[in-house]
Amino acid sequence: PGLVDIILEMDSIEGGGDKAITESRHALEDIEKRSDVSILIDLYNTLKGTVEIVRAGPNLSDPYNRFSYQFRLVSGNDRFEDLDTLRRKEQQILERSRGKDFETNGKLQQQLAMVRAEISTLEHHIIRKLITAMIRTAPAAQRGMNALARLDVVFSRAAFGCEWNGKIPIVGNEGRIVVEGFMHPVLALEKSVVAENEIRTDASNGRQTVVPVDLKIPGKEGYKGLIISGPNAGGKTLALKSFGLAAIMVKLGLPIPVSEVSPYVSVVVDYFHDITVEVGDNQSVKAGESTLMARLNACSSLIERLSAPEAMDINSSKLILFDELGGGTDPVAGASIAQAILEKI
């Protein structure tokens, strides 16, 4: 309604009165009945070739006129014949003034001022008409932009999959993750950039390559938990995060990057309704928490959230990731705490 009032007010300013208001209402009703595609085609034809970008000239913020630009109505393409006529007339007056004492020639000054005033009035009229056309079709243009954004996201996902050996996963609701040779996209991107700069070489002569990780959780038909152990700097946390990343990529509709794409090997990543990650600790010095207490409080909050009635849906799958569960204390006590938390979950 606000846009309609603006349109009606702008049309009434043109001097049409009640007739202009009636025509505007009919135009709006016609737009509502037409498809977005035809509306946008008409808008494109209305705006095509009407505006050009020119240098704005030196100013205080850009004294050398390197970055200042402005929009100007296009001339010389028969879109605005009256405007072109006035601009040619302005140029003729300027040419006639060459070689003369223009400042003392009052007649030429008066003619130039009148022509420029007409140009300004006509430009304002044309710009107002163009703005009115854009306001009338604004809802269709917004819907078109939304559709373009969705298409751009779809093509971006496809481009990601083509670039990084993406595999379209089989998605179910049984809590399964089966991915052979998962390639972490961040590490793969870093490897690609470094390889282009020829900083790394092959493994035989010092090259560091990205090692793919096999992810496997059989879901409801097998074990429901997976414990990863091993030495420091062995890739445990990376493997843990890879499970969560694969699950999130499925929720975002992204292909799963793998080391080799084979038509005989399928990738299975089910849809997890809830993905919970507990990595590191939120130790609060102000609250006087130790590392162990911070971890226990975080685990307690997580278990409490999982025990809520709304979280007890048996048809929904949950993925819970713990990093260094039971850490912050001696190994025996930490193992007992970790076992108790896993059994409770």
Side-chain angles (χ1 to χ4, degrees), residues 170-183:
I170 300 173
V171 182
N173 192 30
E174 300 178 0
R176 297 174 301 166
I177 296 180
V178 180
V179 182
E180 292 186 10
F182 177 81
M183 297 287 290

Side-chain angles (χ1 to χ4, degrees), residues 281-295:
D281 63 85
N282 297 319
Q283 183 179 1
S284 174
V285 177
K286 183 177 179 181
E289 290 182 335
S290 63
T291 301
L292 176 62
M293 289 304 301
R295 290 180 177 274

Side-chain angles (χ1 to χ4, degrees), residues 44 67 152 193 223 265 267 284 310 344:
Y44 170 76
F67 313 106
D152 186 54
V193 172
Y223 53 83
V265 179
V267 172
S284 174
E310 58 272 13
K344 178 63 177 178

